[in-house]
Structures are given as structure tokens and as C-alpha cells.
């Protein structure tokens, strides 16, 4: 892959959401690219991850919903830090939607 925004044929709208590992490191560190085409988490299902996650939306639009009833809309360049065990789901993605997701142990959002 030469460009993170290039979408392979097997990651198109007719296929399931696409996950591609880009980098891996110690203690579960993982950087992956995710390509969505209108995909969302099925109703009533929640991600409850054992590692922290930071996501960056490179292309498209998305909405993440949280178990507490809040949500966040992301556009191109939007990002969010998701501490481990914060239950969330993907409520909406545009077609296409290209994400970078960094997963790891003991990540923390930098002070601004």
C-alpha cells in the first residue's frame, strides 16, 4: 500500500468492514487501518475493549455512540481517545470512511 486512502477492491462497499494491521509493537500495540462503507455496530452490541484506543478519521464521516447515551460526530481529521472498557459502538459511517486506530496498553490522551 502506498497511500492510506487507496481502497483495495476487496475492501469495497459489497464487503464487510475491512481491517488491516499496519504496525505492531510490544504490549499489544497495534496500528490498523479500517475501511467502512456505511457499516455500523449492530443494535444492542457494544465494543468493550481490553486495551485503550485512539482513532483518527482520515476520510468520511462517522458517529460513535456511548453506553451513557452520549455520542460524538467525527469528520475528516477528527479523532477521539477511547479508554479501555468504555463501551461504545459505531452508530454511522459514510461510504467510504477510512480510519486509523491505535490500540495499546496504558495509552493516555496528551494534555492540551
Amino acid at each position: 500500500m502506498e497511500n492510506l486512502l487507496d481502497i483495495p477492491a476487496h475492501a469495497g462497499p459489497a464487503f464487510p468492514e475491512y481491517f488491516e494491521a499496519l504496525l505492531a509493537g510490544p504490549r499489544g500495540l497495534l496500528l490498523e487501518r479500517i475501511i467502512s462503507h456505511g457499516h455500523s455496530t449492530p443494535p444492542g452490541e457494544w465494543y468493550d475493549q481490553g486495551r485503550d484506543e485512539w482513532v483518527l478519521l482520515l476520510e468520511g464521516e462517522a458517529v460513535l455512540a456511548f453506553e451513557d447515551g452520549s455520542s460524538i460526530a467525527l469528520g475528516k481529521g477528527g479523532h477521539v481517545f477511547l479508554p479501555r472498557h468504555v463501551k461504545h459502538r459505531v452508530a454511522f459511517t459514510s461510504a467510504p470512511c477510512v480510519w486509523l486506530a491505535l490500540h495499546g496498553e496504558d495509552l493516555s490522551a496528551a494534555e492540551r
Side-chain angles (χ1 to χ4, degrees):
M1 167 196 18
E2 293 183 21
N3 187 316
L4 289 171
L5 299 178
D6 288 344
I7 299 174
H10 59 278
F15 294 92
E17 196 167 36
Y18 178 77
F19 295 83
E20 176 182 25
L22 301 175
L23 298 169
R27 301 185 58 194
L29 191 65
L30 172 67
L31 179 66
E32 65 183 348
R33 176 173 73 148
I34 304 167
I35 300 174
S36 309
H37 291 276
H39 295 96
S40 62
T41 310
E45 291 187 21
W46 298 93
Y47 289 108
D48 184 5
Q49 300 170 161
R51 295 181 292 172
D52 299 317
E53 179 181 17
W54 174 79
V55 293
L56 165 65
L57 197 57
L58 296 175
E59 189 69 46
E61 298 176 351
V63 175
L64 297 178
F66 298 90
E67 187 180 41
D68 68 3
S70 66
S71 64
I72 184 170
L74 298 172
K76 185 175 183 176
H79 61 95
V80 64
F81 177 69
L82 303 164
R84 73 179 63 103
H85 298 300
V86 169
K87 291 185 179 180
H88 64 283
R89 58 186 304 280
V90 178
F92 165 82
T93 60
S94 61
C97 192
V98 182
W99 312 73
L100 277 184
L102 179 65
H103 304 270
E105 306 257 341
D106 301 320
L107 298 177
S108 61
E111 294 293 324
R112 294 185 196 210

